[in-house]
Amino acid sequence: NTTTVDKDILKIVAKSSGTTGVGFGGGIQFQSQRETGNESGVVLQNAGEIYAEAETNSGTNLSSALVFRTATHGVPSEKLRITNTGEVGMGLTSTNGGTCDPDDNQLLIRAASTVGTNKGHIMLTGDSATVDEGPQIVFSESGSGSNFAGAYIGFRRTGSGGIGDLVFGTRE
């Protein structure tokens, strides 16, 4: 029965002539016309990309992230990543460099932030199934390559069934 289940409508296949590794994958590249002209004189420029990119590629196991890139002056750069475990990273590069990796958080939204600016990021994280832990909203600042949690609002689990305390904290 194909009326109640997902069905492949468009399939994109990425193949290699050698051994593939982490970072290999297939995707869609969007291009847009940037100059007027006739059919033969059309100039196209990269406008964005959506890729499935291998995060683990052991030969027997392929686990992929879904990566979204937008383009500035025709050069695509990563803006959103959904990891193979469902974590979401959005904004600038991770603290370990390179991608929108959510840095082991379930959701990390990071905006350009340097000392003296009013931009920041929202981080939701935690394990509410563990006593003395729970989800938090962290107010953080970054500068000179490091991140500091300035304050937080969180839920600290003290028992089962969602029993716990709402906690507020600041950095001293």
Side-chain angles (χ1 to χ4, degrees):
N1 184 352
T2 60
T3 61
T4 59
V5 295
D6 292 339
K7 181 77 175 147
D8 292 338
I9 296 173
L10 171 67
K11 186 182 287 188
I12 299 172
V13 178
K15 293 184 176 181
S16 172
S17 60
T19 303
T20 61
V22 171
F24 181 78
I28 303 168
Q29 184 180 68
F30 301 92
Q31 293 190 334
S32 297
Q33 181 178 336
R34 66 176 174 93
E35 292 182 8
T36 58
N38 59 31
E39 283 289 322
S40 62
V42 171
V43 178
L44 296 175
Q45 189 166 353
N46 290 336
E49 301 171 341
I50 303 172
Y51 276 83
E53 185 177 282
E55 293 182 311
T56 303
N57 191 342
S58 67
T60 57
N61 177 20
L62 181 65
S63 300
S64 299
L66 195 56
V67 178
F68 296 81
R69 298 179 183 109
T70 61
T72 303
H73 305 296
V75 179
S77 63
E78 187 172 318
K79 298 299 186 297
L80 173 72
R81 173 178 291 258
I82 304 171
T83 68
N84 69 72
T85 59
E87 297 172 337
V88 178
M90 184 183 334
L92 298 177
T93 57
S94 67
T95 56
N96 60 14
T99 67
C100 291
D101 185 330
D103 291 331
D104 296 323
N105 296 291
Q106 290 302 311
L107 172 64
L108 178 62
I109 302 170
R110 184 178 286 125
S113 180
T114 58
V115 176
T117 68
N118 60 1
K119 296 180 180 179
H121 65 268
I122 298 171
M123 179 172 47
L124 302 175
T125 186
D127 178 3
S128 60
T130 305
V131 173
D132 290 330
E133 293 185 11
Q136 308 170 18
I137 299 173
V138 178
F139 300 91
S140 176
E141 59 180 271
S142 62
S144 303
S146 47
N147 293 313
F148 298 101
Y152 68 92
I153 301 170
F155 174 77
R156 183 175 55 225
R157 184 182 175 123
T158 59
S160 62
I163 297 172
D165 299 315
L166 184 61
V167 294
F168 299 86
T170 57
R171 186 180 177 102
E172 294 183 18

